C-alpha cells in the first residue's frame, strides 16, 4: 500500500470544506464557498494564496493568457472549487493543467453543488 502524498495537509483542507458545506449546503455560487473557505483558512492559520496566477510557456515563449488556481494551500496543494451538479472530466483535466504549470503534485477538486460534498484527489 502506498502512502498518500500530503495526507495531513489534504485532510485539513477537506475538513474545512466539509465545515463550509455543512454550514452553507449546496446552491450558492462558487465565490461564496471561496469566501467562506478563505475565512476558515484564516481562522485555522492554514497558509494559502487565493487566485494564484500561473504563466504558460509554449515552445519557450511566454503566452499572454494566464491560469488562475482558486487556491494554493500549504504552498503545495491546488484547491479547485466548484458549485455544479457534478464533477466532469473537464474539471479533472483543468486540475492536471494547474499541476503541470505549478510544479505541484496534488490537486483537490471539491464540488459544493451537490447535497453531499464531493471531492477528488488528483496526483500528477
Amino acid at each position: 500500500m502506498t502512502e498518500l502524498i500530503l495526507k495531513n495537509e489534504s485532510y485539513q483542507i477537506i475538513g474545512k470544506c466539509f465545515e463550509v458545506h455543512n454550514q452553507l449546503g449546496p446552491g450558492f455560487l462558487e465565490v461564496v464557498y471561496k469566501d467562506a473557505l478563505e475565512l476558515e483558512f484564516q481562522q485555522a492559520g492554514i497558509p494559502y494564496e487565493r487566485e494564484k496566477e500561473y504563466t504558460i510557456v509554449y515552445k519557450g515563449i511566454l503566452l499572454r493568457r494566464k491560469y488562475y488556481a482558486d487556491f494554493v494551500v500549504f504552498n503545495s496543494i491546488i484547491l479547485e472549487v466548484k458549485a455544479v451538479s457534478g464533477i466532469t472530466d473537464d474539471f479533472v483535466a483543468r486540475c492536471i493543467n494547474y499541476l503541470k504549470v505549478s510544479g505541484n503534485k496534488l490537486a483537490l477538486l471539491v464540488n459544493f453543488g451537490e447535497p453531499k460534498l464531493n471531492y477528488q484527489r488528483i496526483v500528477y
Side-chain angles (χ1 to χ4, degrees), residues 82-102:
K82 295 294 173 201
V84 294
S85 60
I87 292 176
T88 67
D89 290 343
D90 290 339
F91 299 142
V92 173
R94 186 171 303 145
C95 286
I96 291 169
N97 287 334
Y98 285 137
L99 292 173
K100 287 178 186 177
V101 300
S102 71

Side-chain angles (χ1 to χ4, degrees), residues 18-61:
F18 272 109
E19 177 67 23
V20 168
H21 192 271
N22 288 340
Q23 292 295 313
L24 296 176
F28 289 98
L29 295 174
E30 286 177 16
V31 71
V32 173
Y33 298 109
K34 291 177 192 177
D35 288 348
L37 279 171
E38 189 168 24
L39 282 174
E40 289 291 333
F41 292 155
Q42 288 171 354
Q43 291 174 352
I46 295 174
Y48 71 94
E49 288 181 73
R50 186 168 173 179
E51 297 178 12
K52 169 85 174 176
E53 179 183 287
Y54 291 104
T55 56
I56 303 167
V57 176
Y58 176 74
K59 293 185 176 182
I61 299 169

